[in-house]
Amino acid sequence: MPDTSAAAAKTRSRKPRLDRVLADALDLAREAVEEAGDGIGEHLGVEAETERVVTHYFECTLPGYRGWRWAVVLTRAPRARVATVSESALLPGPNALRSPTWVPWADRLQGGEVGTGEVLPTEDDDDRLMPAYQLSDDEAVEDITFELGLGRERVMNREGRAETAQRWYDGDRGPNAPISEAAPAPARCGTCGFFLPLAGSMRLAFGACANLYSSEDARVVSADHGCGAHSQISEFVDTTPQGVEKSEVIYDDEGSELL
C-alpha cells in the first residue's frame, strides 16, 4: 500500500500554483491599495497563498517605513473569471525598519532605579514576601507576634532573604569589592567597632557601617568586607609617620609673580 502520510505531507509542502486571473488583476490591486492609504510605490510582485488566492505587494514610500510593503489579497470564486479584493494592509518586509520588541516595565526595571519622588508598587504575589502571621524561620520576624496591632502585614520569606544576601555579598559591599581587596587582610568589618550587625538571620553575615570617615558609612556590608577605616587598623599596619608612604612633593610655580 502507498504511504498516504508521506503523500499528504508532500502535498502540503507543495507551493500553490499562481492563479493567472488574479495575478493579472494588477490594476484592481492598485486601486484597492490606493484607497487604503498613501505612499504607494512600484509593484514588487505577486505570490500565491492558496488555490485562487494571491497577494500583490507594492512598495511603501511613507517616511519612516523603510522596507515596509502594501499588501492586497485577491481571490475569486471557482470558475469565476473576475477577481475580488479580500483585504489590504501595510506589512513589514524581510528587512523592514521595526520598533524594538516591547518589554513590560516590570521586566525592564533594574536594581536601584527607583529614585526620589518615584513610586514602585509591590505585587501581591511577590515571591520574596509572605504573610506576617506565617512562621518565617527568623526569630526577629517572629517577635512581631507580640506587637499586637503593630506588626507588619508582610515580611520577607527564606527565599527572599537568601536572594538578598547573595546579591549584597556579590556586590560592591562584599569581600570581592576593590576597596575590600585593597584593605589589609585582617581589617574585616565583622571585627570592627563601627560594625552594627543586622537583626535576625542576616546578623551573622551582614551589618551596617557606622564610621563617619569610611566611604561605606550608613551602608550594609558583609562581615568579611573591609576598608582602611577599621577601628583597629593601627594593629594591622604601621600608621606612624615612619610607616606611612609620603607622596612626592610637587611645587606649582606657574601662577607665581615676580615682585
Side-chain angles (χ1 to χ4, degrees):
M1 295 181 63
D3 188 352
T4 56
S5 60
K10 184 177 181 180
T11 302
R12 288 194 299 269
S13 62
R14 185 182 304 164
K15 187 176 181 180
R17 183 174 59 88
L18 183 64
D19 189 292
R20 184 48 52 189
V21 174
L22 300 178
D24 293 340
L26 180 58
D27 293 339
L28 176 63
R30 181 173 287 277
E31 291 178 4
V33 76
E34 288 178 348
E35 292 179 1
D38 301 324
I40 314 301
E42 299 180 357
H43 183 254
L44 300 177
V46 58
E47 295 180 1
E49 303 294 345
T50 60
E51 185 179 3
R52 295 187 300 278
V53 178
V54 303
T55 301
H56 285 268
Y57 291 100
F58 296 86
E59 178 188 9
C60 176
T61 60
L62 293 173
Y65 284 84
R66 186 184 67 198
W68 287 65
R69 305 177 296 181
W70 285 103
V72 180
V73 180
L74 301 183
T75 186
R76 67 182 179 89
R79 293 186 296 277
R81 307 301 298 175
V82 178
T84 59
V85 177
S86 178
E87 60 179 334
S88 59
L90 180 61
L91 302 176
N95 301 317
L97 179 64
R98 308 173 74 170
S99 61
T101 303
W102 184 80
V103 179
W105 70 268
D107 297 333
R108 297 195 305 267
L109 193 65
Q110 301 295 321
E113 286 193 354
V114 180
T116 303
E118 297 176 338
V119 176
L120 175 64
T122 302
E123 300 294 337
D124 293 337
D125 57 351
D126 193 311
D127 56 10
R128 299 170 299 175
L129 300 173
M130 64 186 298
Y133 58 77
Q134 296 183 5
L135 294 179
S136 64
D137 301 325
D138 191 332
E139 294 181 0
V141 174
E142 262 62 89
D143 288 343
I144 67 173
T145 58
F146 300 99
E147 303 174 10
L148 299 180
L150 300 177
R152 293 170 289 168
E153 181 177 347
R154 290 193 292 177
V155 296
M156 291 192 74
N157 54 25
R158 178 183 295 178
E159 180 181 352
R161 294 195 306 276
E163 176 187 342
T164 300
Q166 192 64 53
R167 185 175 69 252
W168 288 353
Y169 198 80
D170 295 339
D172 293 338
R173 306 295 176 262
N176 299 322
I179 188 175
S180 180
E181 293 181 341
R188 302 299 98 184
C189 294
T191 60
C192 179
F194 299 107
F195 182 74
L196 302 178
L198 296 184
S201 60
M202 303 283 270
R203 178 183 181 87
L204 297 178
F206 297 98
C209 175
N211 190 339
L212 171 66
Y213 301 106
S214 173
S215 59
E216 313 292 45
D217 182 41
R219 291 171 172 162
V220 174
V221 294
S222 67
D224 52 357
H225 184 70
C227 76
H230 192 283
S231 59
Q232 272 70 49
I233 192 66
S234 59
E235 298 179 7
F236 310 137
V237 295
D238 185 0
T239 58
T240 62
Q242 293 78 15
V244 176
E245 182 179 352
K246 297 182 179 179
S247 301
E248 180 183 357
V249 178
I250 300 176
Y251 296 96
D252 182 5
D253 57 0
E254 290 186 359
S256 60
E257 296 182 3
L258 294 176
L259 299 179

